[in-house]
Amino acid sequence: MNYGFVKVAAAIPHVQVADCFYNIQQIEGLMRKASEEGVQIIAFPELSVTSYTCLDLFAQQALLYNAQQALLQLIDKTKELDLLTIVGCPLVTENRLINAAVVFQQGKILGVVPKTYLPNYKEFQEQRWFTSANDLNNDTILINNETYPLGRHLIFGQDDIKIGIEICEDLWVPIPPSSELAMQGANLLFNISASNELIGKHHYLRSLITQQSARCLAGYIYASAGFGESSTDLVFAGNGIIAENGNILNESERFCMDEQLIISEIDIQNLQNDRLINTSFMQGIAELSQKSCTVIPVKLRSFSGNLTRAVDPHPFTPAGDALKERCEEIFHIQVAGLAKRIRHAHAKTAVVGISGGLDSTLALLVTVMTFDALNMPRNQITGITMPGFGTTGRTYNNAVNLIRSLGVTLKEISIKDACIQHFKDIEHDINTHDVTYENSQARERTQILMDVANQENGLVIGTGDLSELALGWATYNGDHMSMYGVNGSIPKTLVKYLVEWVAYNKVDDASRHTLLDIADTPISPELIPADENGNIKQKTEDLVGPYELHDFFLYHFLRFGSCPSKIYYLAQIAFNGTYDKITIKKWLSVFFRRFFQQQFKRSCLPDGPKVGSISLSPRGDWRMPSDAMATLWLKELEGIS
């Protein structure tokens, strides 16, 4: 299955009204094209064998007879294809006409799904010709003297892949058949449709599809009638849309006069993971239906070829206007969380340690915005810069300039003398730049912040971010600890964008200049003395790896529970041309080792607001034993190349 991906297609053929044999030629051509592209499942529009707009011709025996003959001819002519195909065709059963989705593969009909909800208002009049699935008595249908499964409760399945089908109007009702199918196991939902165009309707249709795919935690593939349908009263634009759990992966060009084949891949593993985690997903099934679905086995061709869907190298940071909206929303969440804590604690001030780096800058900006929202003067915030052995002029000046330009009270307390005395007390050689040397400085800074907060009846605002928590890149009971951690669920790759967003949207020119320089400064804890030129010598990403890689690993590991081999596979696609396979594998191994080893730090985190879909708070998203072993994950990673 190639890590759970299934290649699907929504096809929009050119049709001629009531010309069944012309129509199946167009369908066959698109089937063969899809097969060449490695598609495993393809869907065609509603009544695509006859066209949707036949109106009272549906009462003509010549049309119905030839529709069935054309369908059988199509199935026979494509019998060498292992492509699972869904086409729309009018069929007769129980002396009634049904608007049906016919599922076939390799020359055999596997089942027939009738339309359940028949629109009969305004421009629609389907009840004039067709019968609802709910009004049928039998669960089989006779086609050319052969009996096949019939019903709205059919699911076509292979292993974890379960396919459910609904037709056009079925999606628009309060409880679509796809909702029931999803709760009974279907994770690929197909809708064959013939929905006409009206002003504003397309936007609403897209929202229905995205919401239904999200609500059902499923892939949703929508294929609707296009050019060639009668335009006597209506126009059909040819909508092909492929969505997955609330996200549109691919869609057709509307009002195109040529046939179209819309292809993408659905990640079944991710969908199944979400269903397992969302324990309320199945809670309503007992009330939803008294009839269980019939699962019809299918044998899908193997996944082949490369992914056509994009793999975002920066899943936490959307592009364009979406990033601006996300930044603003994040600040609102952070400010609301901190404001509640300040009010509840009756705090008179907030204390923030300012290093001139990204994380402390973001924490200070959140604190400033919170005080503004609470109508508290900014000078009641205490920004403390604490120069140490590794502090550079660039970060020191940026810290001081930012505190002053924002109107925050500045305190400067050097940690050098205190650390030197501490090294003497514990008999540590000051020239030995080991973990004790580094952590002593981090803990001295935290002690200063805590004690000043006590003096001023305030709260220490934490600066550590989600990426640092994942890697354990924090000193236990040093920068690891605070009284409220506003950045705890924000990944490092997003911190930079948040700081830049404030620079361009919320501050004066002086603050903007400082913020942009901070965003451009290498990430460092500055616990090791600078180089001979006074520049930062200790760069975090040289030690633990690129944060953009670690954030990518973290997202797929926690959001979807992805295995190491799949994360490695996706990372190669996402970072093609940026990092080679050896580099990706190296840092992925580091990620798993550190993530498991450093859980003890996450088990005792201070409070802080959950901002995005991922949090490592032991009171929220992530409860993990501190003694868990990474053996299985590292072993799998060692076995791939």
Side-chain angles (χ1 to χ4, degrees):
M1 281 180 56
N2 202 7
Y3 302 108
F5 290 106
V6 179
K7 192 178 288 287
V8 298
I12 305 168
H14 185 277
V15 298
Q16 293 184 165
V17 179
D19 192 345
C20 302
F21 293 95
Y22 172 85
N23 294 342
I24 66 163
Q25 287 179 2
Q26 310 312 306
I27 293 172
E28 179 187 353
L30 284 171
M31 286 178 63
R32 295 190 181 281
K33 183 177 179 181
S35 183
E36 292 172 358
E37 295 287 335
V39 171
Q40 297 166 278
I41 312 167
I42 187 171
F44 290 87
E46 180 180 11
L47 297 169
S48 47
V49 170
T50 58
S51 78
Y52 178 78
T53 49
C54 290
L55 301 177
D56 281 351
L57 292 178
F58 284 124
Q60 291 292 311
Q61 294 183 23
L63 180 66
L64 298 180
Y65 172 79
N66 282 286
Q68 180 172 300
Q69 295 306 305
L71 173 67
L72 294 172
Q73 186 180 114
L74 172 67
I75 294 170
D76 182 67
K77 291 178 69 175
T78 59
K79 61 186 178 184
E80 82 279 11
L81 301 180
D82 54 2
L83 181 67
L84 186 70
T85 305
I86 306 166
V87 298
C89 185
L91 294 173
V92 176
T93 186
E94 302 177 19
N95 299 312
R96 312 184 213 198
L97 187 64
I98 58 171
N99 179 343
V102 182
V103 183
F104 65 92
Q105 184 183 40
Q106 292 185 310
K108 297 179 180 179
I109 295 176
L110 302 178
V112 176
V113 178
K115 188 172 184 176
T116 301
Y117 297 98
L118 304 174
N120 218 54
Y121 54 88
K122 295 186 178 179
E123 63 264 39
F124 302 109
Q125 46 189 318
E126 288 190 32
Q127 291 180 25
R128 181 179 175 92
W129 315 292
F130 299 109
T131 296
S132 167
N134 289 333
D135 295 327
L136 299 177
N137 297 312
N138 299 329
D139 56 8
T140 60
I141 184 172
L142 193 67
I143 302 175
N144 198 32
N145 296 320
E146 295 285 342
T147 300
Y148 302 101
L150 171 72
R152 56 174 284 191
H153 296 93
L154 299 183
I155 290 179
F156 303 84
Q158 172 185 297
D159 301 326
D160 288 338
I161 304 170
K162 299 292 187 294
I163 301 158
I165 300 168
E166 61 187 6
I167 303 176
C168 199
E169 183 78 4
D170 292 349
L171 172 63
W172 298 69
V173 300
I175 304 179
S178 55
S179 295
E180 183 177 344
L181 292 168
M183 295 180 71
Q184 298 211 40
N187 45 33
L188 286 179
L189 304 171
F190 286 82
N191 185 309
I192 64 171
S193 177
S195 185
N196 62 300
E197 293 299 313
L198 299 171
I199 295 172
K201 186 177 181 180
H202 180 69
H203 177 76
Y204 184 65
L205 171 66
R206 290 178 89 251
S207 69
L208 277 180
I209 291 170
T210 54
Q211 288 178 33
Q212 189 65 359
S213 71
R215 185 179 296 110
C216 293
L217 297 176
Y220 200 98
I221 300 90
Y222 181 89
S224 186
F227 188 76
E229 292 284 354
S230 172
S231 60
T232 301
D233 292 299
L234 306 173
V235 169
F236 298 83
N239 284 307
I241 301 174
I242 300 176
E244 178 188 285
N245 196 7
N247 299 303
I248 290 181
L249 303 178
N250 198 5
E251 58 186 317
S252 62
E253 176 188 348
R254 296 173 66 209
F255 301 107
C256 178
M257 298 184 185
D258 299 320
E259 65 181 19
Q260 295 189 73
L261 186 65
I262 311 306
I263 298 174
S264 193
E265 297 81 25
I266 304 296
D267 193 330
I268 298 296
Q269 286 183 357
N270 283 0
L271 295 173
Q272 292 302 99
N273 180 75
D274 278 359
R275 289 184 176 189
L276 288 174
I277 291 173
N278 186 348
T279 54
S280 62
F281 180 73
M282 294 293 292
Q283 288 181 5
I285 191 169
E287 295 79 22
L288 189 61
S289 174
Q290 299 301 316
K291 183 173 181 179
S292 61
C293 288
T294 299
V295 178
I296 299 173
V298 299
K299 186 166 183 171
L300 298 176
R301 67 192 303 184
S302 299
F303 183 95
S304 62
N306 297 321
L307 289 182
T308 62
R309 61 185 279 170
V311 180
D312 190 351
H314 305 115
F316 291 109
T317 55
D321 292 338
L323 179 58
K324 298 176 183 177
E325 294 173 6
R326 179 165 297 186
C327 289
E328 186 164 7
E329 187 171 20
I330 287 172
F331 273 109
H332 281 306
I333 294 172
Q334 290 177 289
V335 167
L338 180 56
K340 170 62 179 176
R341 182 51 52 92
I342 287 174
R343 281 270 179 90
H344 179 76
H346 302 288
K348 302 301 181 184
T349 185
V351 178
V352 190
I354 309 301
S355 67
L358 281 169
D359 291 336
S360 64
T361 296
L362 178 59
L364 179 61
L365 294 173
V366 171
T367 306
V368 166
M369 291 183 184
T370 302
F371 272 57
D372 289 349
L374 293 173
N375 295 316
M376 296 174 67
R378 292 185 180 184
N379 62 10
Q380 287 184 214
I381 303 170
T382 301
I384 305 180
T385 178
M386 295 168 282
F389 304 117
T391 302
T392 62
R394 181 179 184 181
T395 55
Y396 170 79
N397 289 328
N398 280 339
V400 172
N401 291 338
L402 183 65
I403 292 170
R404 287 173 173 164
S405 66
L406 292 175
V408 172
T409 297
L410 169 65
K411 279 192 176 183
E412 180 175 327
I413 303 173
S414 173
I415 65 169
K416 292 180 181 179
D417 290 342
C419 287
I420 291 170
Q421 180 61 50
H422 180 63
F423 293 149
K424 291 178 181 178
D425 292 340
I426 65 172
E427 298 180 347
H428 182 81
D429 183 357
I430 195 172
N431 296 310
T432 302
H433 298 166
D434 58 5
V435 66
T436 302
Y437 177 86
E438 294 185 34
N439 287 350
S440 295
Q441 296 174 70
R443 292 193 179 102
E444 176 61 26
R445 284 171 172 153
T446 300
Q447 176 178 257
I448 291 170
L449 295 173
M450 292 289 182
D451 291 345
V452 171
N454 289 159
Q455 283 181 324
E456 300 182 357
N457 189 20
L459 297 178
V460 175
I461 309 304
T463 61
D465 63 48
L466 179 67
S467 307
E468 292 179 341
L469 292 174
L471 297 171
W473 193 251
T475 298
Y476 192 78
N477 207 35
D479 52 310
H480 156 262
M481 192 48 59
S482 68
M483 296 176 182
Y484 195 77
V486 292
N487 296 342
S489 64
I490 300 176
K492 185 75 77 176
T493 48
L494 188 53
V495 171
K496 179 177 180 179
Y497 289 102
L498 288 165
V499 170
E500 289 179 341
W501 180 80
V502 172
Y504 289 116
N505 294 279
K506 296 290 185 180
V507 295
D508 58 21
D509 290 341
S511 296
R512 180 178 302 111
H513 176 78
T514 303
L515 289 174
L516 293 178
D517 192 62
I518 290 171
D520 195 45
T521 303
I523 300 168
S524 172
E526 292 193 315
L527 298 174
I528 298 295
D531 64 19
E532 60 276 9
N533 297 316
N535 296 320
I536 293 173
K537 183 177 181 180
Q538 184 186 30
K539 297 180 180 178
T540 300
E541 291 182 293
D542 291 342
L543 301 171
V544 298
Y547 273 116
E548 63 176 348
L549 278 179
H550 286 304
D551 284 355
F552 182 89
F553 302 154
L554 177 66
Y555 178 82
H556 288 276
F557 176 61
L558 285 192
R559 174 64 183 82
F560 300 113
S562 297
C563 61
S565 56
K566 184 173 183 177
I567 297 173
Y568 177 60
Y569 167 74
L570 294 173
Q572 289 179 69
I573 298 172
F575 294 99
N576 182 33
T578 305
Y579 301 105
D580 59 27
K581 296 167 61 175
I582 295 174
T583 301
I584 292 171
K585 186 175 180 180
K586 169 189 172 182
W587 294 121
L588 183 54
S589 179
V590 169
F591 171 81
F592 281 115
R593 283 201 306 272
R594 293 194 65 94
F595 188 88
F596 277 78
Q597 290 171 351
Q598 301 293 312
Q599 172 61 29
F600 73 98
K601 295 178 182 177
R602 300 188 290 268
S603 294
C604 54
L605 287 179
D607 294 348
K610 179 178 178 180
V611 171
S613 59
I614 292 174
S615 169
L616 288 170
S617 168
R619 298 166 297 278
D621 285 11
W622 191 248
R623 299 165 180 83
M624 173 182 170
S626 298
D627 306 311
M629 300 297 293
T631 307
L632 296 178
W633 288 261
L634 293 173
K635 185 176 181 180
E636 178 179 326
L637 192 58
E638 290 170 2
I640 60 179
S641 59

